[in-house]
Amino acid sequence: MQRSILTMSPFRILLALCILAAFSASMRAQMKVDSFDGPVTANEINSFLTYVTSLTPAVDNTGNNWAQGHDGEETKAMGMVYEISGNTAVLDQMVRFCDAVLSERNDLAPAPVGQHVIWTGRIDPVWPNSPTATVIGTGGEQGDPVGHLGNCARLILQTPAIWQKTVPIGDPHGYGTTYFKRALTFIHGADQAIDGHILKSLLDMSHDDQQYFSALGPYKPGQPVPWNQQMMFNYGFQNLAICHTILHDDPARAAHYHQIVQDSLNWFFTSEVTAYTDKAGNTAYNWAYAPPGKTGEDSNHGSLDVAGFYRAYITGNYNLTAAMMKPFANMLVDVMSRGPKDYSGRVDGKDGTGHSAPTKYIRSGYLLAADFRPDAYEQIMSADLTPGGTTTSTDTFSRFLWVKNQRAKSSQSLSGKATLSSLGYYYLPWTQTYAGVVLLRNSSSETLTGPFEIAFPNMPDGITLAGPSAAGSAEGPYLTIPFATSLPPGQFTLMPVELFNPSKQEVHLEPVAYSGKL
């Protein structure tokens, strides 16, 4: 029987209104895509911040909330966006979620969240994903909570300017009032989980330091750890290794953690991935869900695999090169992408059921591969995002922002790799349009990929672009060269330019800078 709001107590009315307001706020919050190109905008960062501020952390890891569930992906997204923006308000939200992660560890949390005797016969420092099971097992999901703590600590330690500042969100669990103290607590909590369970009981590293599950455990006993779960373990190990390196507090531990990650990656790239020439003539990858298989990984787990390999790649610590990563991108573009809203369920272009079923969208881990196929960047991002549009997927949005930011940085890093010159100086007659040409030459030893932009940074007041030049202009005095898709070493391209001088005096102008994309 429904109750009329007129018969409800004032407290219940207030509670209902608060719940409705919170629900309405979360429904209104949207992350906004301003554009695919150019630097990440303040509006994009702020829209992300507004969205994640409205989120509430999970109360436990049931159903893998903190691993591959929404809360885990949201925590990873906060880390990526903070790393892009340096906005400490974003970091504060990550700290808020990591506070929850640590407080919900089995040996720290009160019942019913914690204090469970797991398969080892102990109340281990773990995050049970099925605490009501007859035998509480553990698997690769134990890596992600450790990774969140290590990642947040790393981001703090790599920002010394905030170390002694007070964390604005408070310290509800007594983990440390300053960012530096919070980082130390997170590191200590993550190391305890590794020492007290992951390396103590869960992983068997006796197979040439390759990751196998313990033969004594209930989950995949004695079997190689699937790649997506190795990526979860590696997420924790690689971030904590960086933390201990920054702190100079435990070099042996840092070296051990790094070696575990390196051995995992060596295992994959030297013997467990199949490289082949795809239909477009590019090298693509095929691999399996777990060793010793070599083919047929499903799209869902493949996305998690690619995201994990990319995390290791961007650290610069594990001998992964762009050339080694590019076949993942070729696989997505040439093999898995069969048409608009049609993406294969397996990495080999075939379909199955369940995790291997085809999708109408690109799983977010694959978006990071766009970093290695700039020619397909817009094709990849436009599968699920639209300039001027919005999304409520934090993992999709954060990975889009990451690649967008990488492209902007690549544009800035072109200095010295190409030269720009005019064919003669520009002397702009008054009240006339001047038609000229500029020359862009690749002076580097590598192929540069466009479209390129020529900048006139010291454009005098009143000078405007005219004709085709104006049509190619973004904002300010920039000209795009849309037809130059690539420039091999030593080659050049010409760009026609039309400039209009409305003043009543002759103006001297020469293009002196350019930007573009690798």
Side-chain angles (χ1 to χ4, degrees), residues 190-358:
D191 284 339
Q192 284 181 323
I194 290 174
D195 294 344
H197 182 75
I198 292 176
L199 290 182
K200 181 178 182 178
S201 302
L202 181 56
L203 290 182
D204 175 5
M205 303 298 294
S206 65
H207 302 264
D208 296 322
D209 288 330
Q210 294 170 344
Q211 296 178 30
Y212 280 67
F213 283 119
S214 169
L216 302 177
Y219 179 71
K220 296 186 178 295
Q223 296 181 39
V225 177
W227 293 115
N228 73 295
Q229 297 182 50
Q230 290 197 42
M231 295 306 105
M232 288 191 271
F233 287 127
N234 291 350
Y235 175 43
F237 288 129
Q238 69 193 41
N239 279 295
L240 290 168
I242 295 170
C243 289
H244 287 296
T245 299
I246 294 172
L247 293 171
H248 303 291
D249 63 339
D250 196 339
R253 182 184 289 271
H256 186 205
Y257 287 173
H258 271 315
Q259 191 61 53
I260 292 173
V261 179
Q262 187 68 71
D263 290 337
S264 170
L265 299 175
N266 289 347
W267 190 10
F268 180 85
F269 283 100
T270 60
S271 64
E272 301 304 314
V273 66
T274 301
Y276 67 99
T277 301
D278 63 33
K279 62 185 178 183
N282 299 316
T283 301
Y285 284 153
N286 192 359
W287 70 99
Y289 171 68
K294 302 291 193 295
T295 63
E297 173 67 297
D298 65 76
S299 171
N300 181 34
H301 291 102
S303 171
L304 299 168
D305 299 341
V306 171
F309 289 124
Y310 190 88
R311 278 196 301 268
Y313 165 76
I314 60 176
T315 68
N317 290 327
Y318 302 108
N319 303 313
L320 291 182
T321 65
M324 294 169 67
M325 296 295 294
K326 188 174 181 179
F328 289 120
N330 295 335
M331 172 198 74
L332 171 64
V333 176
D334 302 339
V335 180
M336 297 183 70
S337 299
R338 300 182 298 209
K341 304 299 180 182
D342 183 14
Y343 305 96
S344 67
R346 296 195 180 111
V347 300
D348 57 8
K350 299 176 183 178
D351 296 331
T353 59
H355 293 312
S356 296

Side-chain angles (χ1 to χ4, degrees), residues 417-423 437-444 446-448 452 454 481 483-495:
K417 293 184 178 179
T419 55
L420 177 70
S421 61
S422 61
L423 301 184
V437 179
V438 291
L439 179 147
L440 178 67
R441 181 186 300 276
N442 181 359
S443 57
S444 73
E446 58 189 302
T447 297
L448 303 179
F452 296 93
I454 298 174
I481 308 177
F483 53 83
T485 56
S486 64
L487 277 180
Q491 292 195 15
F492 66 88
T493 187
L494 300 176
M495 174 64 183

